[in-house]
Amino acid sequence: LSLCSKLCYAIGGAPNQVAGSAASFFLQIYLLDIAHITPFHASLVLFIGKASGAVTDPVAGFFISKSRWTKIGRLMPWMLACTPFTVVSYFFMWYLPPFVSGRVAWYLIFYCLFQALTTLFQVPYSALTMFLSTDQKERDSATAYRMTMEVLGTLIGAALQGQIVASAHVSHHCTVNPPANTTDSWHDTPSFPDPSDPLSHQVIYMIAAGVIGGVYLLGIVILFLGVKEKDDPYALNSDRAIPFCKGLGLTMKHGPYVKLTASFLLISTAVQLEQSNFVLFCTYAADLRNHFQYLVVTILVSAAVSIPIWQKFLQRFGKKCTACGISWMIPFAVMLVTIPNLILAYFVAFVSGLSIAASLLLPWSMLPDVVDNFRLQNPHRKGHETIFYSSYVFFTKMSAGIGLGISAAGLEFTGYKPGICRQSDDVILTLKILIGAVPAILILVGLFILLFYPITEESRKETKLALEMLR
């Protein structure tokens, strides 16, 4: 693979991360403090939206597996077709409708559409890894380029959204340290701008959505012009495509895939909880409301810079050994929860970025190894790649949706009030648990499951030789 092909492939996936990052970090606080939706309804929007995206994964895998080869490939037409509709749904997801009673339905519809359409892009895009090259090192290299650009996309999304919309979440009369004669009424003072001011709501969020929509269009053009999709390099003309339902059943019985998926769906849920609650935690639990956008940027810069380092590390020490780096964020997150200090917060953000980078790179680097292992055991079947990738994305989205729904419901149960300067002690405690304890437990359990993952560096080499003989 040429450097240009790897870069174009990597850039093509960045827009999904730009939009996803903006939604992960800011959609929950947008729904609560700008759209004035209750935490319960926000939890419904987040959970049902994630669930709709998850349900779309196997559906997308089914139809893509039935697709015929065209002049531009089998996967590329899907990505080209869904991108314009994705941009439109993303734009209206941040639009503040003039009516109040139907806002929950509005955001639910467009968030579900956005999740479903990004799935129609993500499944063929991630499966495209298997059709770039037959060499494991080349695929790992392309995956490292992809994850670096996706983390940069996450950084761009959070930075763009954070810098553009920060003014909508900063109140001039909410001080970090309340005056000595603070009364209970100060706690109930709204921190959001006047809803009648369109500049603070609609225009700001429309500008951010329009910029990110433009990034989407640029990314798909670069992907189309710079990447050439290759047909299945192992399949014989006599080989038959594996039926989707049968293939799905076989993947669910494939030991390496089950262990990999179980491990990283817990780890990805932990990362999602950190992302979705971090801005709320900084605003209400750590008195860092004026620094949250810079802390988010610190996390993502750290993650982007460390992806190439983790790639070198896994090449030298193996992928299972590299997974230990995911656990680094646990002690520092607990420290931030117990000692909410500004300097410590930036240090925690830096270390968390390192761990998030490892959690992003590893599953997408290990999944091709699982697909190769399955190919070796089923040598005369083809078309299973999209089944693996669609079902993996399905499980991670479902787990993340459940986690986000539970976290928003927890805020509702403990009495979260949109836009007030200071939340109750119960809400603050809930945010601390969602940032510290829950992700720590999920990561530890996920890493424990990964200990039983059977594919080692030696078995990877044996599989590579066996597949070369098959070719």
Side-chain angles (χ1 to χ4, degrees), residues 1-3 5-6 132-133 138-139 142 230:
L1 284 175
S2 66
L3 176 62
S5 294
K6 293 177 185 178
L132 296 176
S133 173
E138 287 291 329
R139 290 201 306 252
K230 300 176 183 178

Side-chain angles (χ1 to χ4, degrees), residues 62-273:
F62 174 79
F63 284 107
I64 292 170
S65 66
K66 298 288 185 182
S67 300
R68 295 184 178 182
W69 184 265
T70 67
K71 291 182 179 180
I72 59 174
R74 187 162 55 93
L75 304 174
M76 190 67 73
W78 287 89
M79 294 180 275
L80 289 173
C82 70
T83 297
F85 300 101
T86 306
V87 173
V88 173
S89 63
Y90 181 81
F91 187 81
F92 283 108
M93 192 175 78
W94 298 98
Y95 176 72
L96 190 68
F99 48 85
V100 176
S101 58
R103 282 184 184 175
V104 175
W106 175 277
Y107 292 114
L108 185 60
I109 290 170
F110 284 105
Y111 188 51
C112 287
L113 278 174
F114 173 71
Q115 288 292 332
L117 289 166
T118 53
T119 294
L120 289 176
F121 181 94
Q122 187 67 24
V123 170
Y125 173 75
S126 55
L128 186 60
T129 308
M130 301 301 298
F131 299 98
L132 296 176
S133 173
T134 59
D135 186 82
Q136 290 179 349
K137 288 186 178 179
E138 287 291 329
R139 290 201 306 252
D140 286 348
S141 177
T143 301
Y145 275 88
R146 169 193 162 192
M147 298 317 301
T148 301
M149 290 305 302
E150 287 193 355
V151 173
L152 284 173
T154 306
L155 168 62
I156 292 169
L160 276 176
Q161 193 84 358
Q163 294 301 321
I164 294 174
V165 309
S167 60
H169 298 284
V170 175
S171 174
H172 299 293
H173 63 264
C174 282
T175 57
V176 174
N177 297 311
N181 59 350
T182 295
T183 63
D184 290 338
S185 62
W186 184 84
H187 293 259
D188 296 326
T189 305
S191 66
F192 42 77
D194 181 8
S196 63
D197 181 5
L199 185 63
S200 64
H201 289 160
Q202 195 165 336
V203 175
I204 290 177
Y205 273 94
M206 288 298 94
I207 291 171
V211 171
I212 292 176
V215 173
Y216 251 113
L217 298 176
L218 178 63
I220 191 64
V221 169
I222 293 174
L223 178 68
F224 175 71
L225 296 177
V227 175
K228 184 179 180 181
E229 180 184 344
K230 300 176 183 178
D231 203 357
D232 191 339
Y234 299 128
L236 300 173
N237 290 333
S238 59
D239 289 350
R240 292 185 176 182
I242 188 170
F244 183 83
C245 293
K246 181 180 179 180
L248 190 61
L250 290 174
T251 60
M252 294 300 102
K253 297 176 183 176
H254 192 59
Y257 177 72
V258 172
K259 294 179 177 66
L260 178 71
T261 303
S263 171
F264 278 99
L265 69 84
L266 293 173
I267 292 170
S268 64
T269 301
V271 174
Q272 283 280 344
L273 285 173

Side-chain angles (χ1 to χ4, degrees), residues 11 39 67 120 130 134 171 253 270 278 298 323 325 329 338 383-384 391:
I11 292 171
S67 300
L120 289 176
M130 301 301 298
T134 59
S171 174
K253 297 176 183 176
F278 187 76
T298 302
M329 73 166 70
T338 54
H384 57 279
S391 57

Side-chain angles (χ1 to χ4, degrees), residues 305-337:
V305 170
S306 61
I307 287 279
I309 300 173
W310 285 122
Q311 175 66 14
K312 294 291 184 184
F313 192 91
L314 69 84
Q315 288 177 346
R316 178 156 188 174
F317 298 102
K319 298 178 182 179
K320 287 180 69 174
C321 183
T322 306
C324 297
I326 300 172
S327 63
W328 289 1
M329 73 166 70
I330 295 175
F332 297 101
V334 173
M335 288 174 62
L336 178 63
V337 167

